[in-house]
Amino acid sequence: MTAFDLERSRNITRRWFFEDCGVGLGSVALGSLLGQTAQAAPAGLDPLSPKHSHFAPKAKRVIYLFMAGAPSHLELFDNKPELAKWDGKQPPAELIKDYRAAFINPNSTLLGPKFKFARHGQSGAELSELLPHLATVVDDIAIVKSMVTDAFNHAPGQIMMNTGAQQFGRPSLGAWSLYGLGSESQDLPGFVVFSSGSKGPSGGQSNWGCGFLPTVNQGVLFRSSGEPVLFLDNPRGVDRTVQRESLDSLRQLNQIRLGVTGDPEIASRINSYEMAYRMQASAPELMDISNESPHVLEMYGAEPGKPSFANNCLLARRLVEKGVRFVQLFHEAWDHHGGLVNGLKDQCGKTDQAAAALIKDLKQRGLLEDTLVIWGGEFGRTPMVQGGNDGRDHHPNCFTMWMAGGGIKPGITMGESDEFGFNATEDRVHVHDLHATILHLLGFDHSKLTYRFQGRDFRLTDVHGNVVTKLLS
């Protein structure tokens, strides 16, 4: 091949297109990300700029209260008088045929509910005595008592609930939401995560990961005390001027590389650097809840400077006010294989008031109408006993969640389980159906919100899922 042929071949390569062509992907992606610090790029250039959904959404943002460890539906939402009659007796053989439990022998005796129930509100929804604050907003929520999942251990169950699959590596619900809608916030991440309780979630960061989506869509873990995000502050001796000059130099180098390769991850990296720079000013002020009125702090049960689920609920409201698209609060503390009675009293005492206050606060500020609030864990608990006479095992066949705002029909209770709370028997809602419904409320046909990876179009619901129309207002 002659030198002329080699030169001609070089000039028509893909790399040459990205590097030198004025309409290359690198140039397009950098058109606004570079050279802007305090302002977001115009729509279409910033990877987090607001995007249009498939149809008009009912919900513009999501707050997901994830009760990791799996609360017992039988003590909180699903009153079973018949189960009380069977307390201490063997379950019917047909009930546990082919049933696989995580730890206990399925032949373990049945355990009656440990707390009293009463009806509340105009809807007459039944709630446990452990949820007195939720009872005050019961007409604003929809209770689903027929949830089912495929997993019966914590890490796979949490990953399933958050990504639609039990395997690691899939994008989370929050990441899909951000990928589809972008963010309305200029100075904060579009997807923010908090963690409270006795430990972090068993599924780890995969619960809020981006999987194979661009990394700009993954959740950012915030802390409710101290430095909001680890390593956000500058090291000693580096002031804002030095930092700005350093970022400008990095930006130029990344621009060169993006122009060569067209790799969207480089655009994500540039976006992350600039976002972190802006967050140094915006995040500390937003995280300081001491400037909230005493009435609001009392309503949530929040105490400035003391990390808690209550503080995180208040911070979630402040974040969505600032345009953050998806806020997820993990509270890992509900795994009551033993110590069920005291454990539920303790955790409901830490979460019930704040969750109800979040509904009230959003409503009085006019935000509940287009903010979807979700409450629930990864599965339920068995009607059979574990831990002597004071515990329950993992149970995927039936559990309860509740939702509010963002296009959800308020004041309804949907779904039924059998007399023991063992199997969902009416209006069964699988995790895939829940995800399809959430995406529908955000304005998406779940079967069309896809991302091509390794030659296949992936989606949150895989090849499953139906919108639960009974939940829609």
Side-chain angles (χ1 to χ4, degrees), residues 24-36 41-42 44-46 255 258 267:
L25 296 183
S27 300
V28 171
L30 282 164
S32 179
L33 286 177
L34 305 177
Q36 294 200 30
L45 300 180
D46 183 346
Q255 177 182 4
L258 180 58

Side-chain angles (χ1 to χ4, degrees), residues 206-400:
S206 293
N207 285 299
W208 56 87
C210 62
F212 43 73
L213 293 177
T215 54
V216 73
N217 297 292
Q218 71 183 4
V220 176
L221 183 63
F222 272 35
R223 304 191 304 163
S224 53
S225 67
E227 194 177 3
V229 180
L230 288 175
F231 312 116
L232 184 64
D233 293 342
N234 287 334
R236 186 177 301 175
V238 177
D239 59 21
R240 295 283 282 182
T241 301
V242 171
Q243 182 189 21
R244 184 67 262 168
E245 291 174 351
S246 300
L247 287 175
D248 289 342
S249 297
L250 284 171
R251 186 179 60 194
Q252 292 170 7
L253 293 172
N254 281 322
Q255 177 182 4
I256 294 170
R257 187 60 183 168
L258 180 58
V260 170
T261 67
D263 184 355
E265 285 301 304
I266 299 176
S268 294
R269 187 182 309 147
I270 296 167
N271 179 277
S272 296
Y273 288 155
E274 297 298 337
M275 175 65 73
Y277 180 78
R278 298 193 296 271
M279 281 173 59
Q280 288 180 328
S282 62
E285 179 183 1
L286 182 139
M287 300 291 287
D288 181 11
I289 64 172
S290 63
N291 55 18
E292 290 283 351
S293 70
H295 164 71
V296 170
L297 293 173
E298 183 180 359
M299 180 172 66
Y300 279 90
E303 298 181 65
K306 294 184 179 181
S308 66
F309 178 79
N311 285 21
N312 292 348
C313 282
L314 178 52
L315 288 167
R317 188 268 290 165
R318 291 164 67 93
L319 284 164
V320 297
E321 281 186 311
K322 295 293 185 180
V324 174
R325 184 71 68 187
F326 202 103
V327 184
Q328 192 159 15
L329 279 57
F330 288 88
H331 187 75
E332 172 79 67
W334 299 91
D335 192 19
H336 297 128
H337 294 275
L340 179 70
V341 171
N342 289 333
L344 286 175
K345 286 180 179 178
D346 184 35
Q347 297 312 317
C348 288
K350 292 177 178 178
T351 62
D352 177 47
Q353 178 180 345
L358 179 62
I359 300 298
K360 295 175 183 177
D361 201 10
L362 290 170
K363 187 175 182 179
Q364 69 187 15
R365 293 170 186 271
L367 290 169
L368 185 60
E369 182 179 353
D370 54 8
T371 302
L372 176 63
V373 182
I374 308 164
W375 184 101
E378 60 266 35
F379 38 66
R381 313 301 297 198
T382 56
M384 293 82 77
V385 69
Q386 184 183 11
N389 193 38
D390 195 27
R392 298 187 187 276
D393 198 1
H394 310 164
H395 189 66
N397 293 19
C398 185
F399 61 105
T400 300

Side-chain angles (χ1 to χ4, degrees), residues 77-80 142-147 398-401 412-418 423-429 468 470-471:
F77 298 101
D78 204 0
N79 186 22
K80 295 299 174 186
I143 300 171
V144 183
K145 298 200 296 184
S146 51
M147 289 296 306
C398 185
F399 61 105
T400 300
M401 298 182 68
I412 66 167
T413 297
M414 197 198 92
E416 292 287 346
S417 61
D418 59 37
N423 289 312
T425 56
E426 182 180 322
D427 292 324
R428 187 174 179 271
V429 179
V468 185
K470 286 187 177 182
L471 285 173

